[in-house]
Amino acid sequence: MKSPTRAGPSVHFQIQRDSYAWLNAHRCAATADMKRLCADTATLIENYETSPVAEPKLRRKRRRRNSSSKPDATKFRLLVEGLVCDLAHRNALEPDGWLVVSRRNDDIAGRSRYKPEYLGKPLPHLLDTLATPEIGFIEQRLGKHVRGTTFGNSTMIRPTKRLRDRFEQHDAGLDSVKLRHGEEVVVLRGNRDDDFGNPREWLEYPDDAQTEKLRADLRRINNYLEAEFETNADGTVDTFASDGLPIGVDPTAVRMRRFFTHGSFTTGGRLYHGFWQRLTRDQRASLLTIQNESTVTLDYSQAALRIAYGVAGAPLPDGDGYAITRLEGYRTATKRLVNSMLFPRQPHWKLLIPKTIKKKLPDLPEIDIVEAVKAHHPALADYWWTDIGHRIQRIESDIIVECLLQCIDRDIVALQVHDALIIPRSAEATVRKIMVETFERIAGVPAGVTTE
């Protein structure tokens, strides 16, 4: 598959270009040309390290060798492959973009289910070697602060012209790299972001029957989507149309991860990292086709509210749960308010209603607005400002995963966006039935499914 055509400046929809992306060392070569480039780069590095011109701190007496207990040579070549392939992927997606890399031992040393075993202490040495004038494959900026890191400063790298020329010679586009099998797809996050805007820490956890099933289900979904994409790459089935995607959207990103929150597998569980999730509703409708068909999006209506009633064991009220007396004409803001009331109040909130929501509601006293919501939903009296919202996300994500698995059983390609599924138009009736039956079975209340 050729690299996708990019939307030009005159196209109405453009997403903001990312200035950086995290290094993903799980990438590997998908073509013979790319494998040769990685092997040549590893040889080039070792030739430099063992030469008299090498900087003293980068010099080695001999090349790496494998032993029964330390497969140094194998790990080195896998690390080189992961780094070169991710640089090639980044260059194909966004030529001037940077990769963010940690050089701290705390981040790269030791074992973790979230990183490949060959990623470790040799990484800084490898980066410094690739940045030497003699090799000159990367530009490296040490100590560049990046918001959203789990530590203070981050190293940023990107390929030089010398390496970009090698990419061109070896036809290193998006289709020349892939993700290795075995990458962890079930992520357990910590409790909360810190005061500096850093993301929740990814926590280690022991495997049990529950986590093994979560992983097996998601890998089945990912394997199905990746097999469909590979068919597309062979030119036999046009599974995902990619022409005209906005800059920064990677049409090869079909492997999803499932993120659980607050250090528990009872909360969260939503799926992320599919390229279609970065598209707006209009972009999905105009750009995305599945197996040469136009798509339709089926969306659960009032999913969180319905699941809340299921948890409470109460019958659903008639009509629109967000059409509340005194809040007429403000449905979008009312929906956000009701959903926010299903989560714990944040310690820094001075008001009951977040400011971003309050300014979009009618000019009424805050307590009157809250009381109007409570009066409309008396069955939820015990759940306002509790952790039920996190439990709802787990139930909602379980429903979606089950729907995706049932679609696979029927050989229907379905792409998930929160509580909605993007499907081929011809499968609408079948998938609607799946979604209704699955929701009612898991949530215990009737479902509402709408067509976007």
Side-chain angles (χ1 to χ4, degrees):
M1 177 180 173
K2 297 295 183 183
S3 296
T5 304
R6 300 297 175 195
S10 61
V11 176
H12 177 67
F13 42 84
Q14 282 286 337
I15 63 172
Q16 183 177 357
R17 296 182 66 176
D18 295 330
S19 59
Y20 62 89
W22 290 100
L23 170 70
N24 187 347
H26 288 96
R27 296 199 197 277
C28 61
T31 63
D33 263 356
M34 196 66 201
K35 290 177 182 178
R36 280 193 293 272
L37 175 57
C38 294
D40 290 347
T41 302
T43 300
L44 185 65
I45 291 170
E46 291 205 298
N47 286 344
Y48 170 80
E49 291 173 328
T50 55
S51 73
V53 300
E55 296 179 22
K57 66 176 183 178
L58 302 177
R59 192 172 298 160
R60 291 177 60 90
K61 293 182 179 179
R62 58 179 178 269
R63 295 172 183 270
R64 294 165 183 82
R65 292 180 294 187
N66 286 334
S67 67
S68 57
S69 60
K70 296 183 66 177
D72 288 346
T74 299
K75 285 187 175 182
F76 166 71
R77 290 190 173 264
L78 289 173
L79 179 56
V80 171
E81 184 178 4
L83 184 57
V84 172
C85 286
D86 204 30
L87 285 165
H89 175 271
R90 183 67 177 150
N91 180 71
L93 190 62
E94 200 167 351
D96 295 326
W98 294 86
L99 284 177
V100 182
V101 187
S102 172
R103 295 171 59 105
R104 297 178 69 246
N105 283 340
D106 290 346
D107 296 306
I108 58 178
R111 293 193 174 187
S112 169
R113 66 171 57 245
Y114 303 116
K115 66 182 182 181
E117 62 178 7
Y118 50 82
L119 180 66
K121 291 182 179 180
L123 179 62
H125 173 95
L126 175 59
L127 295 175
D128 291 342
T129 304
L130 289 172
T132 59
E134 289 80 6
I135 296 181
F137 272 12
I138 65 169
E139 178 184 352
Q140 180 176 212
R141 292 185 179 178
L142 300 175
K144 177 72 174 179
H145 180 73
V146 178
R147 180 179 175 82
T149 61
T150 55
F151 45 88
N153 295 321
S154 303
T155 294
M156 300 181 72
I157 62 172
R158 64 181 175 186
T160 61
K161 184 179 184 303
R162 185 180 297 179
L163 183 54
R164 291 198 302 270
D165 288 343
R166 298 284 182 101
F167 289 156
E168 185 174 353
Q169 293 166 10
H170 290 77
D171 195 23
L174 290 176
D175 57 329
S176 68
V177 300
K178 61 183 179 180
L179 290 171
R180 292 187 187 279
H181 294 294
E183 181 186 20
E184 182 59 79
V185 293
V186 176
V187 179
L188 182 63
R189 282 177 166 169
N191 286 327
R192 66 174 67 178
D193 292 358
D194 62 21
D195 294 334
F196 302 99
N198 294 328
R200 294 175 177 88
E201 183 182 4
W202 291 15
L203 304 178
E204 304 293 335
Y205 58 87
D207 274 321
D208 55 21
Q210 175 187 219
T211 61
E212 288 173 356
K213 184 178 187 308
L214 292 170
R215 186 177 300 108
D217 287 346
L218 187 51
R219 282 185 173 164
R220 185 183 175 209
I221 294 168
N222 285 334
N223 289 343
Y224 180 79
L225 294 178
E226 288 175 338
E228 289 292 330
F229 179 81
E230 288 173 1
T231 302
N232 171 263
D234 291 338
T236 55
V237 178
D238 187 11
T239 301
F240 307 123
S242 59
D243 285 354
L245 287 183
I247 293 173
V249 176
D250 175 10
T252 69
V254 296
R255 181 182 296 180
M256 293 183 290
R257 278 174 158 165
R258 195 170 179 188
F259 287 84
F260 294 87
T261 57
H262 297 273
S264 171
F265 287 105
T266 65
T267 59
R270 284 183 166 177
L271 280 64
Y272 295 99
H273 293 176
F275 78 86
W276 55 89
Q277 295 174 327
R278 296 193 61 191
L279 302 177
T280 66
R281 180 184 302 181
D282 290 343
Q283 290 169 1
R284 293 197 297 267
S286 62
L287 298 178
L288 192 61
T289 63
I290 297 178
Q291 294 174 325
N292 289 319
E293 280 193 55
S294 61
T295 61
V296 62
T297 300
L298 297 182
D299 188 11
Y300 281 119
S301 63
Q302 305 180 64
L305 196 55
R306 290 173 184 270
I307 294 172
Y309 271 86
V311 173
L316 286 170
D318 294 333
D320 186 354
Y322 302 120
I324 295 176
T325 303
R326 303 188 71 184
L327 303 180
E328 297 90 344
Y330 297 87
R331 187 186 186 281
T332 300
T334 300
K335 177 180 178 180
R336 292 183 60 196
L337 170 63
V338 173
N339 289 343
S340 75
M341 290 173 62
L342 295 172
F343 288 87
R345 290 186 67 242
Q346 298 301 311
H348 62 276
W349 287 4
K350 295 181 180 179
L351 305 172
L352 291 175
I353 304 175
K355 289 182 179 180
T356 55
I357 299 176
K358 178 66 173 68
K359 66 183 181 181
K360 296 183 179 180
L361 289 166
D363 188 17
L364 296 171
E366 182 185 41
I367 191 63
D368 290 354
I369 295 175
V370 171
E371 289 302 320
V373 172
K374 290 182 176 180
H376 196 81
H377 296 289
L380 302 180
D382 294 335
Y383 296 97
W384 300 126
W385 296 299
T386 68
D387 66 350
I388 188 177
H390 299 293
R391 293 166 55 196
I392 287 171
Q393 287 183 348
R394 171 63 199 265
I395 295 170
E396 174 195 278
S397 65
D398 284 346
I399 291 169
I400 286 294
V401 167
E402 179 61 25
C403 287
L404 291 171
L405 292 172
Q406 290 194 43
C407 286
I408 291 174
D409 290 339
R410 294 161 177 79
D411 200 20
I412 298 172
V413 177
L415 308 177
Q416 168 268 348
V417 182
H418 296 317
D419 60 356
L421 293 180
I422 309 167
I423 56 171
R425 189 169 293 277
S426 63
E428 180 175 356
T430 300
V431 177
R432 183 184 296 275
K433 185 173 185 292
I434 290 172
M435 291 177 69
V436 168
E437 292 177 351
T438 302
F439 190 97
E440 293 181 0
R441 174 165 49 84
I442 295 178
V445 293
V449 178
T450 59
T451 302
E452 287 187 3

